[in-house]
Amino acid sequence: MTVTIVGSQLGDEGKGGIVDLYGDSADVVVRYQGGDNAGHTVVHGDETYKLSLVPSGAVRGKTGVLGNGCVVNPETLFEEVDALAERGLDPDVRVAERAHVILPYHRVLDGIEEAEKEDLAAGTTGRGIGPTYEDKAGRRGIRVGDLLDADVLRQRLEYVVPQKRALYSEVFGGDPDDPELDGAFDVETLFERYRTYGERIAEEGMAVDCGAFLDDRLEAGDDVMMEGAQGTSIDIDHGIYPYVTSSNPTAGGASTGTGLGPTVVGQGEVVGIVKAYLSRVGTGPLPTEMGHVEGQTPEDGGDTSDEAEEIATYIRDEGGEYGTVTGRPRRVGWLDMPMLRHAARANGFTGLAVNHLDVLAGLDPVKVGHAYEMDGEERRSMPATTEQWGRCTATYREFDGWEAVDWAAVAEEGYDALPENARTFLEYISDELDTPIYAVGVGPGRDETVVVENPF
Ligand code: GDP
Ligand code: IMO
Ligand code: MG
């Protein structure tokens, strides 16, 4: 069977940890969208693994597959595979021949467009994700399969690179031959470098026809976990466009991004990963936001009262909500139920994992954005345009808080050992979404998750 893990909010809900937890029972872990814009954390005792591309199951010796819906930067792929090997693991990673390749010019163009867009910039990760998906849709992309055939690779590069040079110089006014670009717009340099990646992929037997590969494994009785990256509200179709990523993290992406039919995915389980509050890296509105982060919170956004700023700082400190690279504070807000109702519908969740319950401990009351008010009317789900969403104000429900306890002990004892007020909060979420709770995260470690149900 399959179990699909989907972020139900804005990314960083703790998907990596849940994939690790349930992945124990899986044989194959496949990513179906996105690329090295993800950052999935797996904590095993004292060891912390941060993976941006390789599926989290690689940490447990599972076969990891990058599905056809992914965009693959081979440089990151090999860096991560080699880094895992250096830590004593032997990662078995496969890549779909149909997956598109991120080239250096995609990264360069991602950065420039973000700078040009000003207010419409999403605050991308700068990994070239959007430009690569653009080329995929524009039928000028280069796929993993193309790296394995020198003639095809050269032909594709000779077609596309002159276009990218013209875009870079004539639209954005840059010099494509600037030595600082390290050959990002040079056919020969790209050919040599990407041909070498292709040879390594071939030598290590990494290239697969993803759908056929997974189907064979399922036929043989194996269990497959689908690891979503990003989250529903930054999905290109169902998210807060244009402040979104360029792929479909939602459950439908698990079918198109792997080559397994929707009935196969639908016969399995779809587990929504929920953070007990909101965190956001990037721009755009956020109705339940507390405090204000320079450069990301819109000018009129965020509750900037002293109390809200104080709670925001508390959540950031307790939850480590600071950029891993930049150390910049992340935007934070109360849990947003209209966002979750939207996610539950778009994904058809069969179960929920609610993470970071420990982070809210010590706050009293704990608030939840129960509904929105927009233009004088109540709304229970997200509106379809981001402009409308920006006009929504949240109406809150308050829950009595809970204190920090020995979370590892609670995780061992089980659900009933959770503080009563925390259970009330969880049951509210479950009732509102009409979806059972499968797991509750009470800390980053593997032993800090209360398991109610294993979907496998
Ligand atoms: P992902 O992108 O959805 O996989 O999530 P990230 O790894 O980017 O961010 C989640 C962060 O929170 C990581 O540092 C996790 O180790 C940590 N984490 C996950 N679940 C919990 C939890 O229940 N409580 C706490 N305190 N931290 C958690
Ligand atoms: P994981 O898998 C949080 C955000 C970026 C930006 C927007 C577009 O760790 O949950 P992109 O580089 O994808 O074109 O950026 O999406 N973003 C994420 N935010 N978690 C992620 O991944 C993200 N991946 C992209 O901040 O607003
Ligand atoms: Mg992340």
mmCIF file of all heavy atoms in Angstrom, residues 11-17 39-41 43 50 275 318-319 330 355-359 441-444 448, ligand 1:
data_model
loop_
_atom_site.group_PDB
_atom_site.id
_atom_site.type_symbol
_atom_site.label_atom_id
_atom_site.label_comp_id
_atom_site.label_asym_id
_atom_site.label_seq_id
_atom_site.Cartn_x
_atom_site.Cartn_y
_atom_site.Cartn_z
ATOM 1 N N GLY A 11 4.553 24.722 4.781
ATOM 2 C CA GLY A 11 5.864 24.067 4.809
ATOM 3 C C GLY A 11 6.418 24.036 6.226
ATOM 4 O O GLY A 11 5.889 24.687 7.131
ATOM 5 N N ASP A 12 7.453 23.216 6.426
ATOM 6 C CA ASP A 12 8.132 23.094 7.724
ATOM 7 C C ASP A 12 7.197 22.656 8.850
ATOM 8 O O ASP A 12 7.345 23.062 10.000
ATOM 9 C CB ASP A 12 8.824 24.420 8.106
ATOM 10 C CG ASP A 12 9.864 24.836 7.077
ATOM 11 O OD1 ASP A 12 10.408 23.954 6.396
ATOM 12 O OD2 ASP A 12 10.121 26.046 6.961
ATOM 13 N N GLU A 13 6.243 21.804 8.537
ATOM 14 C CA GLU A 13 5.299 21.303 9.547
ATOM 15 C C GLU A 13 5.886 20.137 10.333
ATOM 16 O O GLU A 13 5.263 19.651 11.284
ATOM 17 C CB GLU A 13 3.988 20.827 8.887
ATOM 18 C CG GLU A 13 3.219 21.896 8.122
ATOM 19 C CD GLU A 13 3.583 21.930 6.642
ATOM 20 O OE1 GLU A 13 4.616 21.324 6.275
ATOM 21 O OE2 GLU A 13 2.862 22.567 5.864
ATOM 22 N N GLY A 14 7.067 19.671 9.905
ATOM 23 C CA GLY A 14 7.666 18.499 10.555
ATOM 24 C C GLY A 14 7.397 17.226 9.766
ATOM 25 O O GLY A 14 7.278 16.142 10.340
ATOM 26 N N LYS A 15 7.341 17.359 8.448
ATOM 27 C CA LYS A 15 7.072 16.188 7.590
ATOM 28 C C LYS A 15 8.191 15.158 7.685
ATOM 29 O O LYS A 15 7.939 13.958 7.743
ATOM 30 C CB LYS A 15 6.919 16.637 6.120
ATOM 31 C CG LYS A 15 5.746 17.579 5.904
ATOM 32 C CD LYS A 15 5.687 18.086 4.475
ATOM 33 C CE LYS A 15 6.823 19.002 4.105
ATOM 34 N NZ LYS A 15 6.812 20.310 4.766
ATOM 35 N N GLY A 16 9.453 15.659 7.710
ATOM 36 C CA GLY A 16 10.593 14.743 7.732
ATOM 37 C C GLY A 16 10.531 13.792 8.917
ATOM 38 O O GLY A 16 10.757 12.591 8.778
ATOM 39 N N GLY A 17 10.185 14.336 10.079
ATOM 40 C CA GLY A 17 10.108 13.514 11.297
ATOM 41 C C GLY A 17 9.029 12.451 11.181
ATOM 42 O O GLY A 17 9.219 11.313 11.633
ATOM 43 N N GLY A 39 13.548 21.412 3.153
ATOM 44 C CA GLY A 39 14.512 21.192 4.220
ATOM 45 C C GLY A 39 13.816 20.297 5.218
ATOM 46 O O GLY A 39 12.954 20.763 5.954
ATOM 47 N N HIS A 40 14.113 18.998 5.178
ATOM 48 C CA HIS A 40 13.424 18.039 6.047
ATOM 49 C C HIS A 40 14.386 17.538 7.111
ATOM 50 O O HIS A 40 15.492 17.113 6.801
ATOM 51 C CB HIS A 40 12.865 16.878 5.210
ATOM 52 C CG HIS A 40 11.791 17.314 4.257
ATOM 53 N ND1 HIS A 40 11.121 16.454 3.446
ATOM 54 C CD2 HIS A 40 11.263 18.538 4.020
ATOM 55 C CE1 HIS A 40 10.234 17.128 2.725
ATOM 56 N NE2 HIS A 40 10.302 18.394 3.046
ATOM 57 N N THR A 41 13.934 17.607 8.342
ATOM 58 C CA THR A 41 14.817 17.263 9.457
ATOM 59 C C THR A 41 14.441 15.907 10.037
ATOM 60 O O THR A 41 13.268 15.653 10.318
ATOM 61 C CB THR A 41 14.681 18.321 10.576
ATOM 62 O OG1 THR A 41 14.692 19.606 9.974
ATOM 63 C CG2 THR A 41 15.805 18.204 11.578
ATOM 64 N N VAL A 43 15.674 13.510 13.249
ATOM 65 C CA VAL A 43 16.513 13.475 14.453
ATOM 66 C C VAL A 43 16.529 12.055 15.014
ATOM 67 O O VAL A 43 15.476 11.510 15.347
ATOM 68 C CB VAL A 43 15.991 14.470 15.525
ATOM 69 C CG1 VAL A 43 16.874 14.453 16.768
ATOM 70 C CG2 VAL A 43 15.905 15.886 14.963
ATOM 71 N N LYS A 50 19.652 16.870 7.980
ATOM 72 C CA LYS A 50 18.852 17.869 7.273
ATOM 73 C C LYS A 50 18.959 17.550 5.794
ATOM 74 O O LYS A 50 20.041 17.625 5.219
ATOM 75 C CB LYS A 50 19.389 19.280 7.538
ATOM 76 C CG LYS A 50 19.134 19.758 8.949
ATOM 77 C CD LYS A 50 18.568 21.181 8.941
ATOM 78 C CE LYS A 50 18.076 21.569 10.336
ATOM 79 N NZ LYS A 50 16.644 21.664 10.431
ATOM 80 N N LYS A 275 1.267 21.781 11.854
ATOM 81 C CA LYS A 275 2.024 22.396 12.944
ATOM 82 C C LYS A 275 0.991 23.042 13.855
ATOM 83 O O LYS A 275 0.035 23.642 13.358
ATOM 84 C CB LYS A 275 2.973 23.442 12.353
ATOM 85 C CG LYS A 275 4.056 23.904 13.272
ATOM 86 C CD LYS A 275 5.003 24.852 12.537
ATOM 87 C CE LYS A 275 6.433 24.392 12.639
ATOM 88 N NZ LYS A 275 7.388 25.242 11.956
ATOM 89 N N GLU A 318 10.998 28.868 21.529
ATOM 90 C CA GLU A 318 10.690 27.484 21.921
ATOM 91 C C GLU A 318 10.731 26.548 20.716
ATOM 92 O O GLU A 318 11.109 25.395 20.836
ATOM 93 C CB GLU A 318 9.294 27.405 22.562
ATOM 94 C CG GLU A 318 9.160 28.159 23.876
ATOM 95 C CD GLU A 318 10.020 27.561 24.983
ATOM 96 O OE1 GLU A 318 9.991 26.336 25.158
ATOM 97 O OE2 GLU A 318 10.724 28.338 25.659
ATOM 98 N N GLY A 319 10.273 27.060 19.571
ATOM 99 C CA GLY A 319 10.166 26.200 18.381
ATOM 100 C C GLY A 319 11.351 26.312 17.448
ATOM 101 O O GLY A 319 11.365 25.681 16.396
ATOM 102 N N ARG A 330 11.554 33.631 11.659
ATOM 103 C CA ARG A 330 10.460 33.265 10.754
ATOM 104 C C ARG A 330 9.189 33.956 11.217
ATOM 105 O O ARG A 330 9.036 34.243 12.409
ATOM 106 C CB ARG A 330 10.230 31.757 10.763
ATOM 107 C CG ARG A 330 11.378 30.997 10.185
ATOM 108 C CD ARG A 330 11.010 29.532 10.024
ATOM 109 N NE ARG A 330 12.176 28.787 9.550
ATOM 110 C CZ ARG A 330 12.513 27.585 9.984
ATOM 111 N NH1 ARG A 330 11.782 26.968 10.877
ATOM 112 N NH2 ARG A 330 13.577 26.997 9.509
ATOM 113 N N ASN A 355 2.029 18.350 15.014
ATOM 114 C CA ASN A 355 3.369 18.510 15.595
ATOM 115 C C ASN A 355 3.490 19.771 16.433
ATOM 116 O O ASN A 355 2.644 20.653 16.362
ATOM 117 C CB ASN A 355 4.395 18.602 14.462
ATOM 118 C CG ASN A 355 4.734 17.235 13.909
ATOM 119 O OD1 ASN A 355 4.727 16.249 14.643
ATOM 120 N ND2 ASN A 355 5.024 17.167 12.629
ATOM 121 N N HIS A 356 4.600 19.831 17.180
ATOM 122 C CA HIS A 356 4.982 21.043 17.913
ATOM 123 C C HIS A 356 3.992 21.416 19.028
ATOM 124 O O HIS A 356 3.863 22.578 19.384
ATOM 125 C CB HIS A 356 5.132 22.243 16.963
ATOM 126 C CG HIS A 356 6.224 22.057 15.942
ATOM 127 N ND1 HIS A 356 6.019 21.399 14.763
ATOM 128 C CD2 HIS A 356 7.513 22.434 15.951
ATOM 129 C CE1 HIS A 356 7.148 21.379 14.069
ATOM 130 N NE2 HIS A 356 8.073 21.996 14.765
ATOM 131 N N LEU A 357 3.306 20.407 19.565
ATOM 132 C CA LEU A 357 2.389 20.691 20.670
ATOM 133 C C LEU A 357 3.168 21.188 21.889
ATOM 134 O O LEU A 357 2.686 22.029 22.651
ATOM 135 C CB LEU A 357 1.648 19.391 21.028
ATOM 136 C CG LEU A 357 0.371 19.594 21.811
ATOM 137 C CD1 LEU A 357 -0.723 20.118 20.895
ATOM 138 C CD2 LEU A 357 -0.078 18.292 22.453
ATOM 139 N N ASP A 358 4.388 20.676 22.037
ATOM 140 C CA ASP A 358 5.248 21.084 23.162
ATOM 141 C C ASP A 358 5.608 22.568 23.107
ATOM 142 O O ASP A 358 5.798 23.205 24.138
ATOM 143 C CB ASP A 358 6.545 20.253 23.153
ATOM 144 C CG ASP A 358 7.271 20.345 21.806
ATOM 145 O OD1 ASP A 358 6.627 20.078 20.772
ATOM 146 O OD2 ASP A 358 8.467 20.699 21.786
ATOM 147 N N VAL A 359 5.688 23.113 21.894
ATOM 148 C CA VAL A 359 6.117 24.511 21.743
ATOM 149 C C VAL A 359 5.089 25.465 22.359
ATOM 150 O O VAL A 359 5.443 26.515 22.892
ATOM 151 C CB VAL A 359 6.361 24.834 20.245
ATOM 152 C CG1 VAL A 359 6.678 26.305 20.043
ATOM 153 C CG2 VAL A 359 7.477 23.958 19.686
ATOM 154 N N GLY A 441 3.211 15.272 17.689
ATOM 155 C CA GLY A 441 4.628 15.579 17.908
ATOM 156 C C GLY A 441 4.784 16.409 19.167
ATOM 157 O O GLY A 441 4.150 17.445 19.315
ATOM 158 N N VAL A 442 5.639 15.944 20.088
ATOM 159 C CA VAL A 442 5.866 16.682 21.337
ATOM 160 C C VAL A 442 7.343 17.018 21.516
ATOM 161 O O VAL A 442 7.799 17.346 22.603
ATOM 162 C CB VAL A 442 5.307 15.903 22.559
ATOM 163 C CG1 VAL A 442 3.785 15.866 22.514
ATOM 164 C CG2 VAL A 442 5.868 14.486 22.626
ATOM 165 N N GLY A 443 8.095 16.939 20.437
ATOM 166 C CA GLY A 443 9.519 17.270 20.458
ATOM 167 C C GLY A 443 10.129 16.813 19.146
ATOM 168 O O GLY A 443 9.500 16.064 18.397
ATOM 169 N N PRO A 444 11.345 17.269 18.859
ATOM 170 C CA PRO A 444 11.938 16.952 17.559
ATOM 171 C C PRO A 444 12.438 15.509 17.412
ATOM 172 O O PRO A 444 12.564 15.012 16.306
ATOM 173 C CB PRO A 444 13.113 17.934 17.448
ATOM 174 C CG PRO A 444 13.380 18.430 18.820
ATOM 175 C CD PRO A 444 12.141 18.251 19.618
ATOM 176 N N GLU A 448 9.903 11.380 20.596
ATOM 177 C CA GLU A 448 9.021 12.426 21.109
ATOM 178 C C GLU A 448 7.782 12.595 20.233
ATOM 179 O O GLU A 448 7.344 13.697 19.962
ATOM 180 C CB GLU A 448 9.808 13.742 21.223
ATOM 181 C CG GLU A 448 10.867 13.651 22.313
ATOM 182 C CD GLU A 448 11.916 14.752 22.222
ATOM 183 O OE1 GLU A 448 12.419 15.017 21.121
ATOM 184 O OE2 GLU A 448 12.231 15.335 23.266
HETATM 185 P P1 GDP B 1 9.599 19.723 7.264
HETATM 186 O O1 GDP B 1 10.155 20.629 6.216
HETATM 187 O O2 GDP B 1 8.120 19.664 7.231
HETATM 188 O O3 GDP B 1 10.213 18.343 7.235
HETATM 189 O O4 GDP B 1 9.992 20.368 8.648
HETATM 190 P P2 GDP B 1 11.431 21.009 9.049
HETATM 191 O O5 GDP B 1 12.378 19.912 9.283
HETATM 192 O O6 GDP B 1 11.818 22.067 8.080
HETATM 193 O O7 GDP B 1 11.060 21.791 10.362
HETATM 194 C C1 GDP B 1 10.567 21.171 11.478
HETATM 195 C C2 GDP B 1 11.523 21.460 12.676
HETATM 196 O O8 GDP B 1 10.839 21.210 13.871
HETATM 197 C C3 GDP B 1 12.716 20.538 12.681
HETATM 198 O O9 GDP B 1 13.781 21.175 13.311
HETATM 199 C C4 GDP B 1 12.215 19.357 13.509
HETATM 200 O O10 GDP B 1 13.258 18.627 14.127
HETATM 201 C C5 GDP B 1 11.369 20.056 14.520
HETATM 202 N N1 GDP B 1 10.195 19.298 14.986
HETATM 203 C C6 GDP B 1 9.440 18.405 14.300
HETATM 204 N N2 GDP B 1 8.397 17.992 15.058
HETATM 205 C C7 GDP B 1 8.494 18.656 16.237
HETATM 206 C C8 GDP B 1 7.702 18.692 17.440
HETATM 207 O O11 GDP B 1 6.687 18.027 17.562
HETATM 208 N N3 GDP B 1 8.150 19.512 18.430
HETATM 209 C C9 GDP B 1 9.264 20.273 18.322
HETATM 210 N N4 GDP B 1 9.606 21.057 19.337
HETATM 211 N N5 GDP B 1 10.015 20.276 17.201
HETATM 212 C C10 GDP B 1 9.644 19.483 16.186
#
